[in-house]
């Protein structure tokens, strides 16, 4: 809508980093360093040979093998179950947290609440892992209850800040006057939420959910500490296999993982972009 | 008088809004304001930013609660009622149209919330779209509309539920000059056609004078003067009101005698004559500020017919006329505005001695 004049455009161009000498070379170098290992991993997942370093011939054998491997199947199912439930729970909690930290009159302790929600991002994961392990051990001892619930609870807990960030960002971007307009047009609070806040917040919620899903899917450290017998997730399985030597089967599983991540991240990116 | 307040569309009684803990440490946005707005009135709250005009509007809409005082809508108390239970609608400064809905969905939102039958909603949407001349754009998304179109949709949306009072929060400030002029006419027409009481907030004095039945001039949380545009312009009660609205000369003088709202004054520059007197000026024989509009002054050829004389300091051209800045003998300068139509006018230049006549009944005493 803003009409940028030619002069203004030229000025922007002068300041623009893209037009500094060496910019594209450095950019391509960084991208190569970041993605070359992944490219190699993907490449050797299609290797016909057992080796993950010497290329012989294209084949999908390792994908078939991985697909038929019961260990992988089981681990994938555990991962999916944990990630889906943790995603759902953490997104709901994060949405509520984001609403209460942006859509209420400022209250005492609001900043503290925001800090507490985001704190898990700052605490070293291994500390959280040990703390969770001990905490759950106490509960298990007192109640005698065991099961995958503990793993899901742990994942839900560390997913909340990840889901919270995009949802809160979206809410802060949203003009408060939209919700006031709805209230002014006779919508009681719940209807304001359902008809105006929620639909406009949806891209943020989806982004938060996807982020939570990915974070849960590839968590290793906390899972390693908390997972009980039979609760091996895919990353844990891969870690275990690597100790016995890497085969292209691991490459195949990892490639699928990368594929899921790429799809989800693209989704977050695109859904965040549509309204701007 | 009591009869009139009973039927007022909006009756604000000694209402204050204080942000913060109390009057001393907090910010007083509105200070014991009382105001009655009649049914079917186009009423404007006019003042600079921070004067409390938007706060007053938000108190009526219910987005804020008054710290003290009461607000009545056609005799019914509004205190404690949330916005969605008040039969008033707001046109927001930046329109606040729902971006995920079409024009028609935006307009029907309020009616849906009131559980209006679907067939009736469709009729009303059509009717208000016609009212704002937007029939063809019903199915557009709001981000495909121009600023002026969005403005019209915002109006239609607020009018659709047939509110008892329509609140307009500087709705024209985001439009360009020409569109703003058009919308002024449009708003006035809408108010006439719908018969709904409009309460319009603006900092633009021209807008206020052009559209309103009555204007309240506000500053620092207080209402300084309420009156129709004529009274506000010609008989400003306070120095601030005179200064804020249009160009004005403020001269020193002496209050010689008074009789009700009329007084006799003697300007320091020499002239003696009648002047309007606001109620709260009582210092008979004392110094007063006297206002006169630049267009109430004119040049006369002979010194004998002149009320004032002085030398021209500066002349500026504004298209349809000239502003002359004239130094009076006492050292005060005065602005004279002359339209350049009519014949037999002599051309003045800087340095000339000029004789000035003051139109009858154009002096006004100001309270501080």
């Amino acid at each position: 809508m803003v009409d940028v004049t030619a002069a203004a455009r030229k000025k922007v161009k002068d300041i623009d980093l893209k037009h500094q000498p060496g910019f594209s070379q450095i950019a391509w170098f960084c991208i190569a360093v970041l993605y070359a290992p992944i490219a190699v991993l993907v490449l050797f997942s299609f290797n016909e040979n057992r080796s993950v370093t010497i290329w012989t011939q294209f084949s999908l054998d390792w994908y078939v093998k991985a697909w038929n491997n019961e260990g992988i199947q089981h681990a994938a199912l555990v991962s999916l179950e944990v990630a889906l439930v943790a995603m759902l729970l953490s997104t709901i909690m994060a949405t509520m947290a984001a609403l209460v930290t942006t859509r209420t009159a400022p209250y005492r302790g609001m900043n503290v609440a925001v800090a507490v929600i985001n704190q898990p991002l700052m605490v070293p994961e291994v500390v959280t892992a040990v703390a969770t392990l001990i905490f759950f051990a106490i509960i298990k001892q007192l109640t005698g209850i065991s099961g995958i619930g503990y793993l899901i609870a742990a994942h839900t807990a560390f997913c909340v800040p990840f889901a919270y960030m995009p949802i809160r960002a979206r809410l802060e971007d949203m003009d408060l006057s939209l919700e006031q307009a709805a209230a002014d047009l006779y919508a009681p609070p719940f209807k304001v939420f359902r008809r105006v806040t929620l639909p406009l917040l949806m891209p943020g919620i989806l982004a938060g959910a996807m982020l939570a899903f990915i974070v849960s899917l590839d968590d290793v450290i906390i899972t390693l500490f908390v997972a009980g017998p039979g609760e091996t997730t895919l990353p844990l399985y891969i870690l275990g296999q690597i100790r016995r030597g890497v085969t292209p089967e691991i490459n195949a599983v990892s490639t699928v993982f990368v594929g899921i991540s790429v799809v989800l991240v693209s989704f977050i990116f695109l859904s965040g972009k549509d309204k701007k | 008088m009591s009869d009139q307040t009973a039927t007022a569309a909006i009756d604000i009684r000694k209402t204050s809004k204080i942000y913060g803990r109390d009057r001393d440490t907090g910010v007083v946005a509105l200070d014991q304001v009382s105001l009655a707005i009649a049914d079917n009135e186009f009423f404007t709250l006019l003042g600079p930013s921070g004067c409390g005009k938007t706060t007053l509007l938000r108190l009526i809409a219910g987005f804020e609660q008054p710290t003290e005082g009461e607000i009545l809508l056609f005799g019914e108390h509004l205190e404690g009622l949330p916005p969605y239970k008040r039969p008033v609608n707001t046109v927001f400064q930046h329109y606040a149209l729902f971006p995920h809905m079409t024009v028609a969905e935006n307009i029907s939102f309020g009616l849906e919330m009131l559980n209006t039958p679907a067939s009736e909603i469709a009729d009303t949407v059509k009717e208000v779209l016609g009212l704002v001349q937007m029939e063809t754009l019903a199915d557009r998304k709001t981000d495909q509309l121009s600023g002026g179109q969005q403005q019209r949709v915002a109006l239609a949306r607020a009018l659709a539920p047939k509110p008892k009072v329509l609140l307009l929060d500087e709705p024209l400030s985001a439009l360009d000059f020409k569109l703003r002029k058009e919308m002024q006419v449009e708003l006035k027409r809408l108010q006439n056609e719908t018969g709904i009481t409009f309460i319009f907030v603006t900092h633009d004095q021209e807008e206020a004078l052009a559209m309103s039945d009555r204007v309240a001039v506000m500053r620092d949380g207080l209402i300084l003067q309420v009156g129709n545009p004529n009274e506000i312009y010609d008989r400003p009660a306070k120095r601030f009101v005179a200064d804020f609205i249009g160009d004005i000369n403020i001269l020193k003088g002496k209050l010689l005698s008074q009789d009700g709202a009329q007084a006799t004054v003697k300007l320091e520059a020499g002239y003696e004559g009648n002047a309007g007197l606001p109620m709260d000026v009582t210092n008979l024989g004392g110094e007063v500020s006297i206002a006169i509009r630049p267009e109430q002054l004119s040049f006369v050829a002979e010194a004998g017919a002149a009320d004032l004389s002085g030398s021209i300091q500066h002349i500026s051209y504004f298209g349809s006329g000239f502003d002359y800045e004239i130094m009076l003998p006492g050292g005060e300068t005065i602005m004279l505005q002359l339209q350049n139509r009519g014949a037999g006018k002599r051309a003045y230049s800087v340095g000339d001695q000029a004789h000035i006549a003051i139109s009858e009944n154009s002096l006004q005493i100001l309270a501080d």
Side-chain angles (χ1 to χ4, degrees):
Chain A
M1 237 193 287
V2 180
D3 187 22
V4 185
T5 64
R9 226 179 279 132
K10 187 179 177 307
K11 205 170 173 189
V12 169
K13 205 172 157 185
D14 287 345
I15 302 165
D16 197 336
L17 207 56
K18 268 186 296 203
H19 298 279
Q20 303 287 323
F23 174 83
S24 64
Q25 288 84 340
I26 293 171
W28 284 113
F29 176 75
C30 291
I31 289 171
V33 168
L34 285 171
Y35 289 98
I38 296 177
V40 170
L41 173 129
V42 172
L43 180 71
F44 281 96
S45 73
F46 297 110
N47 197 359
E48 186 253 347
N49 194 282
R50 242 197 105 72
S51 168
V52 290
T53 45
I54 302 158
W55 178 260
T56 49
Q57 206 188 332
F58 178 84
S59 110
L60 290 172
D61 283 359
W62 296 109
Y63 284 87
V64 178
K65 266 207 180 112
W67 181 257
N68 291 324
N69 182 329
E70 275 179 28
I72 292 177
Q73 278 175 11
H74 183 255
L77 285 178
V78 171
S79 268
L80 271 184
E81 183 190 347
V82 171
L84 281 176
V85 179
M87 171 188 84
L88 202 70
L89 295 177
S90 62
T91 305
I92 292 170
M93 289 186 210
T95 305
M96 295 195 291
L99 284 169
V100 89
T101 49
T102 56
R103 283 302 185 269
T104 52
Y107 51 88
R108 268 176 76 127
M110 185 146 105
N111 291 332
V112 177
V114 174
V116 167
I117 293 166
N118 285 318
Q119 197 55 44
L121 298 174
M122 264 80 88
V123 175
E125 206 182 342
V126 70
V127 174
T128 313
V130 173
T132 314
L133 174 71
I134 295 168
F135 182 62
F136 284 171
I138 293 169
I139 297 177
K140 271 183 201 165
Q141 209 167 29
L142 289 177
T143 62
I145 300 168
S146 61
I148 202 166
Y150 291 102
L151 187 57
I152 291 173
H155 275 232
T156 303
F158 73 71
C159 282
V160 167
F162 289 96
Y164 175 76
M165 286 187 300
I167 299 174
R168 181 188 159 95
R170 178 90 192 165
L171 273 171
E172 278 182 335
D173 268 3
M174 267 163 59
D175 195 349
L176 209 58
S177 69
L178 290 174
E179 283 143 300
Q180 283 177 349
D184 187 62
L185 292 160
Y186 313 106
F190 180 71
K191 284 220 166 125
V192 173
F193 177 72
R194 208 174 56 84
R195 294 287 306 269
V196 176
T197 316
L198 193 59
L200 293 173
L201 188 54
M202 228 22 176
I205 292 177
L206 285 179
M210 298 292 140
L211 208 54
F213 184 76
I214 291 176
V215 168
S216 165
L217 206 60
D218 50 47
D219 178 72
V220 173
I221 300 174
I222 290 175
T223 315
L224 197 60
F225 278 70
V226 176
E231 294 170 9
T232 306
T233 62
L234 214 41
L236 285 197
Y237 180 85
I238 294 171
L239 196 64
Q241 290 298 303
I242 280 175
R243 294 205 183 110
R244 282 177 240 159
V246 186
T247 69
E249 198 177 6
I250 299 299
N251 289 36
V253 175
S254 305
T255 302
V256 172
F257 243 72
V258 170
I260 294 173
S261 292
V262 167
V263 168
L264 292 185
V265 170
S266 316
F267 184 83
I268 295 170
F269 181 73
L270 293 176
S271 70
K273 234 183 149 180
D274 71 333
K275 285 287 157 196
K276 296 284 147 179
Chain B
M1 195 65 199
S2 65
D3 196 42
Q4 196 193 334
T5 45
T7 55
I10 290 284
D11 189 3
I12 294 154
R13 294 177 184 169
K14 294 206 164 186
T15 297
S16 302
K17 177 68 189 177
I18 296 159
Y19 294 100
R21 212 162 289 241
D22 56 48
R23 188 173 278 276
D24 300 323
T25 58
V27 177
V28 183
L30 267 188
D31 197 359
Q32 299 256 333
V33 163
S34 292
L35 178 67
I37 298 168
D39 191 12
N40 198 6
E41 194 169 23
F42 197 124
F43 194 93
T44 297
L45 300 169
L46 173 67
S49 58
C51 71
K53 56 193 195 297
T54 296
T55 303
L56 189 52
L57 204 71
R58 294 175 65 82
L59 287 176
I60 299 171
F63 301 134
E64 313 267 359
Q65 295 296 326
T67 313
E68 52 189 34
E70 43 193 30
I71 299 175
L72 286 79
L73 176 77
F74 288 99
E76 305 211 13
H77 283 267
L78 288 180
E79 303 92 70
L81 280 187
Y84 61 93
K85 287 189 179 159
R86 300 184 181 207
V88 298
N89 289 135
T90 308
V91 177
F92 289 83
Q93 188 170 9
H94 301 291
Y95 318 140
L97 298 176
F98 306 128
H100 57 302
M101 299 182 195
T102 64
V103 168
E105 285 166 347
N106 261 283
I107 296 172
S108 52
F109 186 88
L111 297 163
E112 267 175 61
M113 293 301 132
L114 291 170
N115 295 319
T116 314
S119 61
E120 206 176 305
I121 291 181
D123 290 345
T124 311
V125 169
K126 224 167 157 192
E127 183 195 325
V128 290
L129 275 174
L131 213 54
V132 297
Q133 294 157 13
M134 291 276 295
E135 298 97 324
T136 52
L137 299 174
D139 298 321
R140 289 274 187 96
K141 275 274 166 82
T142 56
D143 54 7
Q144 298 169 317
L145 302 175
S146 70
Q149 290 169 332
Q150 290 186 19
Q151 168 75 77
R152 284 163 192 272
V153 176
L155 267 169
R157 183 178 72 175
L159 286 170
K162 306 220 158 53
K164 290 187 170 168
V165 173
L166 187 73
L167 308 173
L168 302 107
D169 185 9
E170 307 213 22
L172 307 185
S173 60
L175 301 178
D176 62 49
F177 179 75
K178 206 161 166 242
L179 209 50
R180 204 156 65 220
K181 286 276 176 203
E182 258 175 60
M183 285 308 292
Q184 285 179 13
V185 178
E186 192 84 339
L187 277 176
K188 189 71 195 159
R189 178 183 66 82
L190 278 176
Q191 199 266 327
N192 274 332
E193 280 178 26
T194 57
I196 292 172
T197 308
F198 278 31
I199 302 180
F200 186 90
V201 160
T202 184
H203 61 265
D204 183 333
Q205 40 108 1
E206 229 174 283
E207 229 165 73
L209 296 180
M211 292 189 288
S212 321
D213 294 322
R214 282 198 305 155
V215 180
V217 183
M218 296 184 68
R219 185 178 68 158
D220 297 340
L222 295 167
I223 291 180
L224 300 183
Q225 189 175 3
V226 183
N228 63 39
N230 255 328
E231 289 166 355
I232 296 284
Y233 187 80
D234 289 336
R235 298 277 169 235
K238 290 206 177 351
R239 196 187 182 93
F240 176 82
V241 177
D243 244 347
F244 190 70
I245 295 167
D247 295 323
I248 201 154
N249 297 300
I250 298 175
L251 302 170
K252 278 189 238 158
K254 211 171 238 165
L255 182 55
L256 297 180
S257 68
Q258 64 177 102
D259 175 21
Q262 277 297 314
T264 325
V265 290
K266 185 174 171 63
L267 294 183
E268 221 177 61
Y271 175 76
E272 199 178 307
N274 289 332
L277 183 71
M279 272 189 298
D280 44 352
V281 175
T282 51
N283 51 338
L284 197 60
E287 279 253 322
V288 284
S289 298
I290 298 154
I292 176 140
R293 295 282 174 194
E295 70 273 16
Q296 300 288 1
L297 300 172
S298 56
F299 289 121
V300 287
E302 297 128 43
D307 297 318
L308 298 167
S309 300
S311 64
I312 296 177
Q313 299 287 304
H314 186 79
I315 302 174
S316 54
Y317 178 61
F318 58 85
S320 61
F322 287 94
D323 277 331
Y324 298 86
E325 217 179 281
I326 299 151
M327 167 96 81
L328 299 176
E332 289 175 305
T333 50
I334 191 167
M335 179 97 80
L336 181 153
Q337 196 177 88
L338 214 53
Q339 298 291 322
N340 27 336
R341 66 182 164 78
K345 204 162 283 169
R346 64 167 278 205
Y348 289 88
S349 47
V350 172
D352 285 358
Q353 198 66 22
H355 305 297
I356 305 165
I358 299 173
S359 306
E360 219 169 305
N361 274 328
S362 58
L363 292 179
Q364 171 69 16
I365 298 170
L366 302 174
D368 283 322

